[in-house]
Amino acid sequence: AGVSSEAKAEVARKAGADAVIVYPRQPFDKDQSKAVAEMFKAEAGPTGYQIIYDTVGGDYSEPALRSIGWEGRFLVVGFPAGIAKLPLNLTLLKSCDVCGVFWGAFAARDPEKNRANIAELFALYSEGKIKPLVSATYPLERGGEAIAFFLVLGPHVAVQSELGVVGQRQCFGFAGDFLDAQHRAKGF
């Protein structure tokens, strides 16, 4: 997992991440971008990552793409750090795919598949195979505090999985910006 702070790194480790990289703050000049790419590559090893789940964007995307393996997949999920500019020659050199993942559009365009995915997530949760981290709970009368917490800190959920996807070295993601599947299913 790639994270922006030691606190997030600890959450990722507790959730079962095999490796955690605390990356520096952007903006990056060319040398800094290269150094971040080298950090990512060093952790990925010689074969690179097969999946990169990018919820951050900005100056972090290019160094991450540079660490992708042959025929890997780069999933663009969000860009709170800014819209990335990716050198497309990297996709040719690595024969990799860059794919946008727009959950809201998917849910609207294919509600049946979305319902099936949500049902599968709830089944995994019921079986104890995924365990969302709940950092705080609020009674209804303190709803304003809950919204303020969400707006200031954002939705941060680390998922522990027995499926072998989260925490594998082949899968690298910017941790800390995942919405809880329960909240998504309820339309939050």
Side-chain angles (χ1 to χ4, degrees), residues 9-68:
E10 188 56 33
V11 170
R13 286 184 197 102
K14 285 182 181 177
D18 289 339
V20 180
I21 299 168
V22 180
Y23 49 75
R25 298 281 181 188
Q26 64 174 16
F28 302 144
D29 63 24
K30 189 175 181 177
D31 290 336
Q32 291 167 317
S33 181
K34 190 174 184 176
V36 172
E38 291 306 316
M39 278 181 12
F40 293 163
K41 288 179 185 179
E43 191 57 53
T47 60
Y49 296 109
Q50 290 305 299
I51 299 173
I52 296 175
Y53 181 85
D54 183 0
T55 62
V56 177
D59 288 354
Y60 303 103
S61 296
E62 182 180 335
L65 184 61
R66 290 184 180 282
S67 69
I68 203 164

Side-chain angles (χ1 to χ4, degrees), residues 113-124:
K113 275 188 183 175
N114 182 58
R115 276 191 276 284
N117 287 343
I118 297 299
E120 184 176 351
L121 285 172
F122 276 110
L124 292 170

Side-chain angles (χ1 to χ4, degrees), residues 84-173:
K85 294 181 175 92
L86 297 176
L88 293 179
N89 65 310
L90 292 175
T91 63
L92 175 67
L93 295 172
K94 295 175 176 273
S95 191
C96 67
D97 296 326
V98 176
C99 179
V101 181
F102 185 3
W103 176 78
F106 167 76
R109 291 172 180 259
D110 199 339
E112 286 305 313
K113 275 188 183 175
N114 182 58
R115 276 191 276 284
N117 287 343
I118 297 299
E120 184 176 351
L121 285 172
F122 276 110
L124 292 170
Y125 177 75
S126 296
E127 295 165 7
K129 292 182 178 175
I130 58 174
K131 299 174 179 115
L133 170 67
V134 178
S135 56
T137 60
Y138 296 87
L140 186 56
E141 61 269 10
R142 292 178 52 208
E145 288 178 54
I147 291 170
F149 176 81
F150 182 81
L151 292 175
V152 171
L153 298 179
H156 300 292
V157 176
V159 177
Q160 184 175 14
S161 172
E162 295 173 8
L163 300 177
V165 176
V166 176
Q168 284 188 357
R169 289 186 152 231
Q170 301 93 308
C171 183
F172 177 77

